[in-house]
Amino acid sequence: MAAKGAPKSVQELELILSGDNKVKVAVDGVLRGKFISKSKFLSVAKDGFGFCSVIFGWDIHDTVYPKELLISNRNNGYRDLLAAIDLSTYRRIPWENDVPFFLLYFLDPETKKPISVDPRGTLRKAVSQVEAKGWQCISGIEFEYFQFQETPYSVVEKKYVDLKPLTPGMHGYSLLRPSLNNEYFHDLFDVSLKMGVDIEGHHTETGPGVFETALAYTTALRVADNATLFKLIAKSIGIRRNILPSFMAKPWANLPGCSGHIHVSLKDTSGKNVFSLSPDEIKQGGRKDARYEDVQFISQEGEWFISGLLDGLPHVVPLLVPTINGYKRLAGGEAFWAPNKLTYGYDSRAASIRVISPPSCSPSATRLEIRIPGADVQPHYALSAIFLLGLRGINKKLVLPFPPVSQQQAQGDEAQVVKLPTSLKDATEKMMQPGSIAREILGNEFVDHFGGTRLHEVNVWDSAVTNWEREFHLQILGFKVLIVF
């Protein structure tokens, strides 16, 4: 789905930019980009331009990956890639004098084929596989995120401890708390709309200074772009008001983490929700499942999609939880509504896959909510994995391997539930195993590169000395020994 007012040709582009002298472009993931002159932009709008490949060879702090990964490395001289401009992503940035803005995707300069690890290219490829079946990938994303009364300078001076929350206390769905920072709270909503990032819901969430924002349900690529841009919007608005929003999954050990729940469904060419039941099935009280003595209000294709997720999710967890810190959020489990087991359930927030269907919603709104990701999720990668696993389940007509979580709890079968990997290291090693489902759906090149970047973060973490270690060990002269007589 193109952004409102997006040009359909280079000729339209020239008209849109008639009053401008520069353009801003960016690559998705950790948003990186630059300004280029209008004349340069118009000259490369059709065929693209060279962009240093090191953006795929850096971590988030611009440290070059020590392992020579395939896309960008010392051996290939950190060569240029071909940056193609996606005209459909046209927007203007309200806080930068409405400068025109476009997103990019990357091609190999020799073969002109998409780069395997480009976030937008990865999702475009996944979506095209689903579209080959005559279906459209539809999604929505919800972010929870802390806000601090801090600046980029103050957090460094404080060494990232003793940060002041935007508001104290736990105030989920509060009508009063946004009054304390009224302009900032409303700017997040209003500026997002100006930038073409549609929002369905916006409110306080439980936790000191925590907000939750639900991005409007739309096509998968559009919502993934919107999710990345929303983080940019929040940080850009916040920095102008000495407010620092954080999309870290688990900033504090004793407080709930921040989720990045992803809702998905499929739509056919007539606009019908592929996961919804037919009117006759709804009149009959749903689809009966004799195996689990259950009534289902989701279609057979929807059930196969769920089965595909259950079969493959353990192999793709790093695409849903990509950081060391994200697994601290999952460690809290159901106590913090962060499911860390392989489960599904009907309108159950205790399950990792929540099935939202009648009577909880209208048939047209039938969908799945994937509750594993935190706010640190890379949305293009996560959606690629989700839709490819679901499509695999449909193609293979996979059956549900166990009953919904409510029946497991009632029957005392919870001990049989598979736990998801509990660390980035374990999750990445499982993803990178020969013959993994991740390799099957995403390809070896993607898995080897992305897995290499995740193992780099593991190595950085393993060599780090944390405040906890100093607090726990600095004054201890030796280990206590318990002697039993």
Side-chain angles (χ1 to χ4, degrees):
M1 180 184 293
K4 185 177 181 181
K8 297 181 176 61
S9 66
V10 175
Q11 290 72 30
E12 286 189 24
L13 179 64
E14 291 177 353
L15 290 174
I16 286 173
L17 302 181
S18 60
D20 300 289
N21 60 17
K22 60 183 177 294
V23 178
K24 196 171 192 177
V25 294
V27 53
D28 247 318
V30 174
L31 275 173
R32 301 180 187 270
K34 57 184 176 181
F35 285 97
I36 59 178
S37 68
K38 181 174 72 172
S39 59
K40 170 69 174 179
F41 182 81
L42 290 174
S43 72
V44 299
K46 182 179 179 181
D47 297 322
F49 62 100
F51 203 117
C52 182
S53 65
V54 76
I55 57 175
F56 294 107
W58 273 335
D59 68 11
I60 59 175
H61 293 287
D62 290 5
T63 299
V64 176
Y65 295 122
K67 183 177 179 181
E68 295 286 33
L69 300 179
L70 181 63
I71 306 300
S72 180
N73 55 54
R74 190 176 295 107
N75 289 337
N76 66 24
Y78 303 101
R79 61 175 183 154
D80 271 359
L81 299 174
L82 182 61
I85 299 164
D86 188 342
L87 297 182
S88 71
T89 63
Y90 163 71
R91 295 167 169 84
R92 289 183 178 269
I93 304 179
W95 63 90
E96 293 188 16
N97 298 320
D98 283 332
V99 65
F101 175 83
F102 295 82
L103 290 170
L104 308 172
Y105 59 95
F106 285 86
L107 308 174
D108 185 285
E110 297 176 0
T111 66
K112 303 298 189 293
K113 292 182 179 179
I115 298 298
S116 62
V117 296
D118 173 33
R120 300 191 77 244
T122 300
L123 183 53
R124 283 158 65 103
K125 182 179 178 181
V127 165
S128 69
Q129 292 184 46
V130 176
E131 289 176 344
K133 301 278 289 187
W135 299 326
Q136 190 177 35
C137 298
I138 309 295
S139 180
I141 297 178
E142 306 167 357
F143 283 132
E144 299 169 352
Y145 48 106
F146 280 83
Q147 342 282 321
F148 302 100
Q149 287 188 336
E150 304 285 353
T151 71
Y153 296 103
S154 68
V155 293
V156 172
E157 291 168 357
K158 291 183 173 184
K159 300 186 185 302
Y160 297 91
V161 297
D162 297 326
L163 305 183
K164 184 178 180 180
L166 188 62
T167 55
M170 311 285 272
H171 298 279
Y173 299 106
S174 172
L175 295 181
L176 177 63
R177 287 288 154 170
S179 300
L180 294 175
N181 304 276
N182 190 49
E183 292 182 358
Y184 169 68
F185 180 82
H186 286 284
D187 268 357
L188 290 173
F189 193 107
D190 298 338
V191 174
S192 293
L193 294 184
K194 289 180 182 177
M195 204 168 165
V197 177
D198 293 338
I199 291 174
E200 287 187 353
H202 185 52
H203 59 87
T204 63
E205 184 51 271
T206 188
V210 179
F211 294 167
E212 178 174 337
T213 304
L215 305 182
Y217 216 63
T218 184
T219 59
L221 184 58
R222 178 67 186 272
V223 83
D225 289 345
N226 286 354
T228 305
L229 291 172
F230 178 75
K231 293 181 179 181
L232 173 69
I233 292 166
K235 293 174 183 178
S236 298
I237 293 173
I239 204 169
R240 297 163 72 89
R241 298 182 180 277
N242 293 329
I243 296 172
L244 189 72
S246 172
F247 293 85
M248 187 176 177
K250 184 72 170 174
W252 311 118
N254 61 338
L255 291 171
C258 294
S259 70
H261 297 156
I262 297 177
H263 295 245
V264 296
S265 63
L266 299 174
K267 186 186 293 185
D268 66 19
T269 53
S270 70
K272 178 182 179 297
N273 187 330
V274 176
F275 291 172
S276 68
L277 296 179
S278 69
D280 288 342
E281 288 173 318
I282 293 174
K283 287 180 182 179
Q284 293 168 7
R287 292 174 55 245
K288 305 298 188 297
D289 189 334
R291 292 172 302 156
Y292 301 134
E293 300 178 355
D294 191 26
V295 176
Q296 297 187 18
F297 282 92
I298 193 166
S299 70
Q300 178 65 76
E301 288 82 5
E303 180 181 322
W304 287 333
F305 195 104
I306 296 170
S307 301
L309 291 175
L310 295 173
D311 190 44
L313 277 176
H315 296 249
V316 301
V317 174
L319 290 130
L320 308 183
V321 188
T323 68
I324 286 284
N325 178 257
Y327 294 83
K328 304 290 178 69
R329 169 182 165 269
L330 293 183
E334 293 178 14
F336 288 125
W337 286 11
N340 55 13
K341 300 175 183 177
L342 195 63
T343 57
Y344 71 99
Y346 294 94
D347 201 18
S348 173
R349 288 181 170 84
S352 53
I353 303 171
R354 176 185 171 212
V355 184
I356 305 173
S357 60
S360 300
C361 66
S362 66
S364 62
T366 302
R367 62 195 186 277
L368 308 178
E369 180 187 18
I370 316 305
R371 296 179 57 81
I372 298 167
D376 56 358
V377 66
Q378 205 297 317
H380 298 81
Y381 285 163
L383 283 169
S384 297
I386 290 167
F387 280 110
L388 288 174
L389 288 178
L391 180 62
R392 180 176 176 270
I394 291 173
N395 289 338
K396 290 178 173 289
K397 298 183 178 181
L398 297 179
V399 299
L400 292 171
F402 44 75
V405 65
S406 58
Q407 289 192 30
Q408 289 177 324
Q409 292 170 342
Q411 297 169 9
D413 292 339
E414 291 182 88
Q416 306 301 317
V417 174
V418 175
K419 286 205 71 172
L420 295 170
T422 56
S423 71
L424 181 59
K425 183 176 186 290
D426 290 345
T428 303
E429 288 178 346
K430 188 172 186 64
M431 179 184 73
M432 296 185 74
Q433 287 177 346
S436 71
I437 295 176
R439 292 187 180 277
E440 177 186 337
I441 62 172
L442 291 162
N444 289 324
E445 185 175 274
F446 176 93
V447 170
D448 289 338
H449 179 95
F450 180 70
T453 71
R454 297 306 82 214
L455 292 179
H456 164 75
E457 181 160 322
V458 171
N459 291 335
V460 172
W461 165 251
D462 286 345
S463 63
V465 178
T466 66
N467 288 342
W468 180 90
E469 292 168 281
R470 281 187 287 270
E471 292 170 5
F472 202 75
H473 294 297
L474 190 67
Q475 299 185 63
I476 302 299
L477 300 178
F479 292 103
K480 294 181 179 179
V481 179
L482 178 64
I483 302 176
V484 180
F485 294 96

